[in-house]
Amino acid sequence: MTVDVLRRPASAERQARVAVAVLFFTNGALFANLLPRYPQIKADLGIGNAAYGLAVAAFPAGAIAAGLAAGVVIRRMGSARAAVAGTLLTGAWILLAGLADSVVLFAAALFLAGAMDAVTDVAQNAHGLRVQRRYGRSIINSFHAIWSIGAVTGGAMAAAAIALDLSRGQHLTISAVVFAVAACVALRFCLSGPEAEAESESEGGAGVESVADPAGESGPGSSGEGRRIARPTPGRRTAYVLAALVLIATAGTLVEDAGSSWAALYLSGSLSASVTLAASGYIALVGAQFVGRIIGDRLVDRFGQRTVARAGGLIVVAGMGLALAVPTVPGTILGFAAAGFGVATLVPAAMHEADELPGLKPGSGLAIVSWLMRLGFLLSPPVVGLVADAAGLRVGLLVVPLAGLLVLLLAGVLQPGRRQGR
């Protein structure tokens, strides 16, 4: 075990890491190419705000509808092929959404694009975690950082296409083809073989025992059989941990959504910031989150998922809690930055732990966490909006420090430092 962890990754494993990074980049860039086209699509379809809002909600709805099927697709196709197939189909449906001549077709294309994006998301994370196991150290956060770079690149591509007066068909065709080619090339360098890694099989029951009893505690003089009877059953333990992981991941998405949906509105409305300055709230959150993901792998390797998550939750509670308690424009921007930095590793951590849970088929835990996490994305905006209408947006944004508090309470299900117990 120690030799596997300390050895340098082979050339094939380094190539697989680059290939997975390409898949994350393309996934971030594809949908980001469509977002700047939304105002033009809305105007061309001649629809009001209500119809537009329902139409664009079709994307997360499609992701939720198809999310649980991702595990089945991964087991049948393999995580790498599933990720690439999902990328190709996502690009095709995004192109159709851009060319839609009716709100029904637009919503239907977004629904299917969201469904394929959900499969791609789970599959690329599953393959990234396979590569991480080969490396013997955390690298999953770097993939999520690459996704952020892809999203920025996709938005810049769309802005350039609009500036060059390219039609939506021309622009989105170029985007779909470029990223389809990139994904197909990446597939050649992904890991081969079955999803269930040989190393997990060689560990036998020991791995299951360690999850069932993370502290490794048992009564003095008790036999191995007696310890199994005294412990909670693996199924019950797995269900508890999976529920906690879903809440941790959802806490991360709630903070992200608060920044994207409400930061500019709160700064410009409640705090009377200029329109330009109001945009800094979301930029600060995303920028700090990117930094957190770049350094997150080294922090996880040194301190463990549990400590990093708890520290992140504390940063969210303290940073955004203080910003809401003493509302100023600079303090609020710093508060959103603290929140973004604090949640940077939460979703990758939850996905990693879910993929390692015993008693589940390959990809199932990952699919469940991803699916319910997206449900949080769908529900959080109306919930915050209802609270804001009743008590003000400042009260509605208490969801951010509350999410940090939730992480502090549940982080115990995450793995401690790698050096512990060795």
Side-chain angles (χ1 to χ4, degrees):
M1 180 69 176
T2 304
V3 174
D4 289 340
V5 170
L6 295 180
R7 69 175 179 83
R8 289 177 58 84
S11 175
E13 291 159 354
R14 293 195 298 270
Q15 290 176 349
R17 181 178 182 177
V18 174
V20 174
V22 170
L23 293 177
F24 271 82
F25 181 89
T26 60
N27 183 247
L30 269 175
F31 190 56
N33 266 275
L34 180 63
L35 290 176
R37 293 288 191 170
Y38 272 178
Q40 184 183 13
I41 293 173
K42 180 178 180 292
D44 289 349
L45 295 178
I47 55 178
N49 290 327
Y52 168 76
L54 288 173
V56 297
F59 188 89
I64 291 169
L68 287 181
V72 177
V73 175
I74 290 171
R75 288 192 294 274
R76 292 187 176 181
M77 297 182 63
S79 56
R81 287 193 293 272
V84 173
T87 298
L88 300 182
L89 291 173
T90 299
W93 292 123
I94 286 175
L95 173 60
L96 182 60
L99 297 175
D101 56 3
S102 71
V103 66
V104 173
L105 183 58
F106 176 59
L110 284 181
F111 182 90
L112 293 170
M116 292 301 99
D117 180 74
V119 173
T120 303
D121 182 44
V122 176
Q124 69 187 10
N125 275 284
H127 204 75
L129 290 169
R130 280 189 67 190
V131 176
Q132 176 171 279
R133 284 191 288 272
R134 296 285 190 90
Y135 265 66
R137 58 183 172 86
S138 179
I139 59 172
I140 190 67
N141 290 290
S142 65
F143 293 138
H144 286 258
I146 293 295
W147 186 95
S148 300
I149 296 174
V152 173
T153 302
M157 286 177 61
I162 293 171
L164 293 172
D165 202 26
L166 294 180
S167 69
R168 290 198 299 274
Q170 292 172 324
H171 161 216
L172 295 175
T173 297
I174 293 171
S175 170
V177 170
V178 167
F179 295 121
V181 171
C184 289
V185 171
L187 179 61
R188 296 184 56 195
F189 300 97
C190 288
L191 298 177
S192 58
E195 294 302 304
E197 295 291 329
E199 65 245 31
S200 64
E201 295 175 2
S202 65
E203 290 172 5
V208 176
E209 289 293 314
S210 65
V211 174
D213 185 12
E217 297 172 353
S218 57
S222 60
S223 66
E225 183 177 356
R227 287 196 300 272
R228 292 189 186 94
I229 293 173
R231 294 175 182 175
T233 62
R236 188 179 304 168
R237 169 68 182 176
T238 297
Y240 164 73
V241 173
L242 188 59
L245 293 175
V246 167
L247 291 175
I248 289 172
T250 302
T253 61
L254 286 174
V255 173
E256 291 179 29
D257 182 73
S260 62
S261 300
W262 304 106
L265 186 61
Y266 176 66
L267 283 162
S268 61
S270 302
L271 301 183
S272 301
S274 66
V275 176
T276 303
L277 191 57
S280 301
Y282 177 63
I283 294 171
L285 186 146
V286 174
Q289 185 182 55
F290 173 75
V291 172
R293 286 175 170 173
I294 286 293
I295 66 174
D297 290 316
R298 279 174 286 180
L299 293 176
V300 168
D301 282 334
R302 182 170 182 179
F303 301 107
Q305 296 277 20
R306 184 183 301 171
T307 300
V308 172
R310 282 177 174 162
L314 184 60
I315 290 171
V316 173
V317 172
M320 201 62 194
L322 183 61
L324 293 173
V326 186
T328 64
V329 172
T332 300
I333 293 173
L334 289 175
F336 277 112
F341 185 82
V343 302
T345 65
L346 293 185
V347 172
M351 288 183 167
H352 170 258
E353 298 290 340
D355 200 48
E356 299 287 331
L357 285 176
L360 297 177
K361 295 179 180 179
S364 294
L366 198 58
I368 292 171
V369 169
S370 179
W371 179 63
L372 292 176
M373 178 184 70
R374 288 174 181 269
L375 190 61
F377 257 131
L378 185 65
L379 295 179
S380 63
V383 170
V384 173
L386 287 172
V387 174
D389 284 342
L393 186 52
R394 182 181 171 192
V395 176
L397 285 175
L398 284 173
V399 67
V400 176
L402 287 175
L405 181 61
L406 184 65
V407 173
L408 282 171
L409 294 174
L410 297 175
V413 302
L414 300 173
Q415 292 297 315
R418 289 175 177 269
R419 293 183 178 86
Q420 296 183 19
R422 292 195 180 189

